[in-house]
Every structure is written in structure tokens, then in C-alpha cells.
Amino acid sequence: MDLSLSSTRVSRRAGPAVAVAKGLPASLVLAGASISLFGLAWDAQWHSDVGPDTFFTLPHLFLYAGSAIAGLVSLYVVLVTTAAARAGRPIDPEAGGRSIGVLRGTFKAPLGYLVSGVGAASFLMYGLWDLWWHQLYGFDAVIDSPPHVGLLLSITVSMIGAVIVFAAAKDQMWSLAGLVAGAAVLLAFNTLTTLALQMLGDSVDAVGVGMAFFAVVLLLTVASLTRRPLVMVGIGVALGAVQAVLWWFAPLATRLYAASIDLPMRDFVSGLPTMAALIPMGVVLAGALMAGVLRVTRSSQPWPAPPLAGGLGGLLLTLANPVQQSLVYGVPMPEAGFLLGSGVVGSVVGVVGGFLGWRFGLMLRQLTPQEG
């Protein structure tokens, strides 16, 4: 797998082979991130339906295996890129982005794989802390233990690296598919970590606002990068597919695994998926709304179209969250004042997210020198 081919050597004869060579490691990093997502959904369901767990459980092993795959692939690409640089061969920036000197130039690392690898290395350190935690206390009663928080943040960094890897080859069809899938996986994974915003109080729907902000930033980042507004609808569809699979997978895997090791399910198990039920279902609508705003204005500047689109998307996603929770869990709808306050805050953070997302996309376009 030669990742050192320059853009001048990508001829019509070598084009398909080069695309496969660049796409394979990127797909493996995304596969590792997806495995970690399934492990997280399974682990969250376990804590909800069964209770405490030990270090060596199957959901944990899914988490560790996914991060290990992303880390090993990233390390391999860094070593191959370093060898190519030392041999004086040009390095194709589409294979993970521009190469960056690491440890005073000892290694040459494409930016995407560097981010993914750093996330995996950080995961290893937090994994050792988690092992010590289990040896000290025996089990985790909750999923948000201190080492778990570090593990989740580390996997998030690896997933961001995967998105950067696909962004480097933005003009390839396999890259566009990877961007859509990677963004969907990252959005789904972020759902559980956003629950930490509950500590901010209950004057507004802080979790819904947080999910809306992250979704707006990521959707408009990909739209700005690819200059295809409708890609945001594709991300919403992909997220819905991920949600549907997790909705079925997590409860079933938990029941089968608990039965295989002779552990009882809790008496009050509702049967609802813990994580999949939290994933926002309105991303398709928000993506279509924001794509419509961008198409109507036909603006490629950071103002005013992207912030306007982000504000509308943030409002829709924030208000859709309590509706979703009411439909899924059967809880009553919040009062009008709560919805109004949440909608205002969601709109404001959406405007900020729209501006930031569009600028992030323009920044990612600089991963390769072909685009300005």
C-alpha cells in the first residue's frame, strides 16, 4: 500500500489502484470507530438493563477492539509515510491530509491519521486507568465513571480523525461516502457524551441544545467541505440507519449476553434502547432545512447564509428533542416557557455553530493543495 504517491503521479492508469490504497486504511479507521460505537451502545444498555459490570466484558472488548483497530492502522500509515519521506519520495496529501512533523521531524504523519492515532493512544492510557479502577472497586455501577469519561473523549478524537482522513480526498466518491458515514457515526457517538450537560441545570434543555450545536457544526462542516448542501440530508439518512440498527442490536445483545453468563435482567427493564432512543431523529429535517437555506441564498461566504441556516437548524433540533422524548418515553411535554427558552438558546448556539461549521469546512479544504 503505497501512500507516498504524489498528485503528479496519479495518472489514468494508476488512478483506481491509488484510490483503493488510500480508501482502505481510511475505511479501517472508520470500521474501528463503528465497532466502538456498537460497544458503547451495548455497554450503556448493560448498565441500564443488568447493572454493574467488570473490566473484561464483551461490550468493553468491543470498545477496546475498535480503538485498537483505529490506532494500529493510524500507526501503520504514519510509519509508511515516514519511510517514504526519508526515502525522498513525494507524499500524496489525499492520503490523510498534509503531513506534519512529529517529535522534531522524527516521524511524518498525515493530519487525519495523527489525530486518530493520538485519540487511540489516549484511549490506551485511560484504558489502563479503567483497569486499575476495576481492580480497586471491582465493578462500575454507572457508565460515567472518571476513566469512562476519558475513554469516550478519546474515541471521539479518533472519530474526528477518521472524518479528517476522508476529508483529505474530498473529490473522490469513496471519500464522500466515508464522510457521510463518519459524520453519522460521530453524531451517534456524541449523543451519550452530551448527557454531561445535564449538570448545567434544568432551566433550558441543555442536552438538546448541546446535541443541536454539535449536529449543526458537523453538518455544515461537511457541506462547506464538499460544497454539496444536500450531503446534510444524506448524513441524516445515514444517522437514521445507524439508529435503527442500534435500536435492535443493543437490547438483544444485552439479553443474550446476560443469559449466556447467567445474570438476571432487572425487573424494571423497559425494553427501550438506552442510547439509540437519545439519538436525535430530526437531523434529516434539519439537514433539508439548512440545505434549502444555502441553496436559496447561493452564498459561499461565511455570512449570512451558514449562520442563518445554523440558527434555523439549531431551533428545529432543540425543539424536536422534547417531542422525541415525549413520544419515546411517554413523558409529558414541557411547559411553553421551557420550550421558548430552549428554542432561543438553541437558535443562538445554532448561529454560532453555523458560522464555525462553515469555517471548519473551509479549513479542511486546505488539507490538500488542489483547493484554495
Side-chain angles (χ1 to χ4, degrees), residues 93-340:
E94 286 192 357
R98 295 176 183 268
S99 296
I100 298 175
V102 181
L103 297 179
R104 296 186 178 182
T106 303
F107 298 96
K108 283 287 187 179
L111 178 60
Y113 290 106
L114 175 61
V115 173
S116 180
V118 167
S122 176
F123 182 92
L124 175 61
M125 300 303 297
Y126 282 111
L128 295 175
W129 184 15
D130 192 37
L131 177 60
W132 173 82
W133 185 273
H134 280 279
Q135 290 175 342
L136 185 62
Y137 296 107
F139 57 82
D140 278 326
V142 294
I143 196 172
D144 55 346
S145 64
H148 281 185
V149 173
L151 290 171
L152 298 182
L153 292 177
S154 298
I155 299 175
T156 300
V157 172
S158 291
M159 290 183 176
I160 293 174
V163 172
I164 294 175
V165 168
F166 283 107
K170 56 187 174 297
D171 296 324
Q172 305 288 337
M173 287 306 299
W174 60 264
S175 173
L176 181 61
L179 278 172
V180 170
V185 169
L186 183 54
L187 273 174
F189 194 91
N190 176 73
T191 298
L192 202 59
T193 56
T194 310
L195 292 179
L197 297 176
Q198 289 176 332
M199 296 184 294
L200 296 180
D202 55 1
S203 57
V204 297
D205 184 5
V207 173
V209 170
M211 291 182 182
F213 174 76
F214 190 81
V216 166
V217 170
L218 189 55
L219 290 174
L220 281 171
T221 294
V222 179
S224 173
L225 170 70
T226 61
R227 296 182 181 176
R228 299 182 181 186
L230 287 178
V231 74
M232 295 186 287
V233 179
I235 294 173
V237 172
L239 180 62
V242 170
Q243 185 177 33
V245 173
L246 292 179
W247 198 289
W248 162 83
F249 167 78
L252 177 61
T254 299
R255 287 198 306 271
L256 294 178
Y257 182 43
S260 69
I261 57 178
D262 296 324
L263 284 179
M265 303 286 286
R266 285 174 167 169
D267 294 335
F268 54 83
V269 170
S270 65
L272 289 173
T274 300
M275 183 172 176
L278 296 173
I279 296 176
M281 299 177 180
V283 175
V284 172
L285 295 177
L289 176 62
M290 291 190 290
V293 172
L294 293 181
R295 281 185 171 273
V296 168
T297 57
R298 298 182 182 277
S299 172
S300 61
Q301 300 301 319
W303 188 267
L308 175 61
L312 293 175
L315 174 64
L316 190 155
L317 288 171
T318 300
L319 294 181
N321 187 59
V323 175
Q324 176 178 329
Q325 300 307 306
S326 179
L327 293 175
V328 172
Y329 295 107
V331 298
M333 283 288 295
E335 297 179 355
F338 179 86
L339 292 176
L340 178 60

